[in-house]
């Protein structure tokens, strides 16, 4: 990683600037960053090969000319004022200050750059050493991050809407079902599940559904839901009704984890329960979750 000399101690900075100014032509041209020396009148006195190539000029086309030939036309007047102010202040200015700086190339293109300024005192050669670094990659990364944030925001909205739609389906009399916490406790149970279990909805809330249905492999089911984050089922279980003495009622469960767009973890679990011989306001048969997930997969719709 290239270091920014402007953040070094003053003595180190002086030594570095001296090394730049007194370097042999070969060494001066070997620096990976563009370097130019500008005198107190704003004339370019020394340019390395990296800077010349970046700007698209021959070295002799820059040396002896005003620095403003490298500044976009719309910013030149302002830059003259800033340059003259800097000559009076003569303080090191590091890179990465968030300034929008553009380097005007010979072709007229504008390249985003980071610039560090280092004052140089050398008698008649007093002026400023500018270290210029191409920031095109940084701006491209910034654009990628912006697009990623927009995509993530869109995904959050889509996930929230999908979760809302799933809850609406669950409570639209689509057969026994419930919305569970990540550990299997009932947050909301619909009327059909309450009827199946013969337990009032309010009494079901907070109860572990897996315990009610006497599932043997609760830990394995939860592990599959949290690790694979996909539809699990059918899971076969049997339970005793709370009223009427009917025992061994067979059920088939399908469970779909709802994955939080923010954390990536399971936030809720939608479960549908099909029980033989139990009346419901919709045909029991196979779980509507299976049809929904199948339709989502064919349409490439994420169910997370």
């Amino acid at each position: 990683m290239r270091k920014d000399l402007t953040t070094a101690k003053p003595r180190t900075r002086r030594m570095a600037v001296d090394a730049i100014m007194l370097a042999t032509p070969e060494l001066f041209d070997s620096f990976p960053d563009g370097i130019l020396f500008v005198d107190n009148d704003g004339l370019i006195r020394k340019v390395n090969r990296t800077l010349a190539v970046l700007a698209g000029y021959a070295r002799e086309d820059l040396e002896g000319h005003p620095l403003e030939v490298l500044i976009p036309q719309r910013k030149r007047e302002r830059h003259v004022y800033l340059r003259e102010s800097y000559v009076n202040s003569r303080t090191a200015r590091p890179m990465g200050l968030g300034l929008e700086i553009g380097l005007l190339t010979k072709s007229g293109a504008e390249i985003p750059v980071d610039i560090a300024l280092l004052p140089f005192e050398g008698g008649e050669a007093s002026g400023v050493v500018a270290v210029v670094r191409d920031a095109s990659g940084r701006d491209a990364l910034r654009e990628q991050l912006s697009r990623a944030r927009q995509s993530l925001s869109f995904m959050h909205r889509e996930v929230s809407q999908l979760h809302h739609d799933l809850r609406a389906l669950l409570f639209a009399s689509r057969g026994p079902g419930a919305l569970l916490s990540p550990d299997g406790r009932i947050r909301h149970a619909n009327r059909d599940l309450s009827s199946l279990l013969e337990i009032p909805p309010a009494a079901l809330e907070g109860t572990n559904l897996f315990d009610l249905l006497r599932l043997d492999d609760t830990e394995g089911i939860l592990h599959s839901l949290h690790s694979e984050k996909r539809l699990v089922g059918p899971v076969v279980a049997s339970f005793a009704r709370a009223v009427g003495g009917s025992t061994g009622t067979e059920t088939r469960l399908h469970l779909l984890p709802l994955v939080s767009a923010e954390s990536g973890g399971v936030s809720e679990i939608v479960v549908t329960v099909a029980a033989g011989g139990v009346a419901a306001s919709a045909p029991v048969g196979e779980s509507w979750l299976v049809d929904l997930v199948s339709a989502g997969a064919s349409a490439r719709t994420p169910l997370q």
Side-chain angles (χ1 to χ4, degrees):
M1 180 180 292
R2 286 173 273 177
K3 295 182 178 180
D4 184 356
L5 295 175
T6 58
T7 61
K9 294 180 179 180
R11 183 171 180 275
T12 303
R13 288 203 303 266
R14 286 195 300 272
M15 293 175 62
V17 173
D18 288 344
I20 291 172
M21 296 302 297
L22 300 175
T24 63
E26 292 78 12
L27 180 59
F28 187 61
D29 283 337
S30 70
F31 287 114
D33 288 322
I35 298 175
L36 56 87
F37 173 66
V38 181
D39 66 19
N40 290 334
D41 294 323
L43 297 179
I44 300 171
R45 294 301 182 187
K46 193 173 184 179
V47 177
N48 76 344
R49 180 184 296 124
T50 306
L51 190 285
V53 170
L54 182 62
Y57 283 93
R59 198 190 314 252
E60 56 271 17
D61 292 335
L62 290 174
E63 293 177 347
H65 291 272
L67 175 61
E68 279 68 38
V69 297
L70 296 175
I71 305 299
Q73 183 68 43
R74 68 185 184 281
K75 296 181 179 180
R76 286 181 182 175
E77 184 175 350
R78 172 68 174 167
H79 188 268
V80 171
Y81 168 77
L82 293 175
R83 174 173 54 75
E84 291 175 349
S85 299
Y86 181 82
V87 169
N88 294 327
S89 64
R90 309 193 69 78
T91 57
R93 193 192 75 187
M95 290 185 178
L97 294 180
L99 301 176
E100 297 294 332
I101 304 173
L103 177 75
L104 183 66
T105 68
K106 185 176 182 179
S107 67
E110 190 172 331
I111 300 174
V113 292
D114 279 331
I115 299 178
L117 302 178
L118 296 157
F120 174 72
E121 297 290 345
E124 295 182 359
S126 296
V128 178
V129 173
V131 181
V132 181
R133 184 172 297 171
D134 187 351
S136 301
R138 177 205 61 195
D139 284 8
L141 178 60
R142 184 183 296 168
E143 177 63 25
Q144 290 174 7
L145 288 173
S146 176
R147 288 198 299 268
R149 290 191 188 99
Q150 292 174 6
S151 298
L152 188 60
S153 177
F154 175 78
M155 183 183 72
H156 284 182
R157 292 194 300 271
E158 290 294 299
V159 168
S160 296
Q161 184 61 48
L162 178 61
H163 286 192
H164 177 272
D165 292 346
L166 281 170
R167 294 186 189 98
L169 284 170
L170 179 65
F171 293 100
S173 298
R174 298 293 300 271
L179 191 65
L180 310 182
S181 66
D183 63 356
R185 297 186 180 277
I186 298 173
R187 287 181 174 169
H188 302 286
N190 68 6
R191 289 173 297 178
D192 284 342
L193 182 63
S194 174
S195 176
L196 172 66
L197 298 176
E198 298 176 347
I199 301 174
L204 283 174
E205 292 184 8
T207 305
N208 192 297
L209 180 65
F210 301 145
D211 292 342
L212 283 176
L213 299 182
R214 300 180 179 179
L215 291 178
D216 294 329
D217 191 21
T218 298
E219 185 175 339
I221 293 170
L222 287 173
H223 176 75
S224 295
L225 289 167
H226 286 271
S227 61
E228 299 178 18
K229 297 182 175 64
R230 61 177 179 81
L231 182 72
V232 172
V235 177
V236 178
S238 64
F239 71 100
R241 293 182 181 231
V243 179
S246 177
T247 61
T249 302
E250 183 177 285
T251 60
R252 296 189 309 280
L253 279 70
H254 286 87
L255 305 105
L256 180 69
L258 303 184
V259 180
S260 167
E262 287 80 11
S263 68
V266 173
S267 59
E268 292 176 314
I269 301 168
V270 176
V271 59
T272 58
V273 183
V278 177
S281 54
V284 176
E286 202 57 86
S287 169
W288 57 267
L289 276 178
V290 175
D291 295 333
L292 183 66
V293 171
S294 298
S298 63
R300 299 183 180 272
T301 301
L303 287 172
Q304 292 190 33

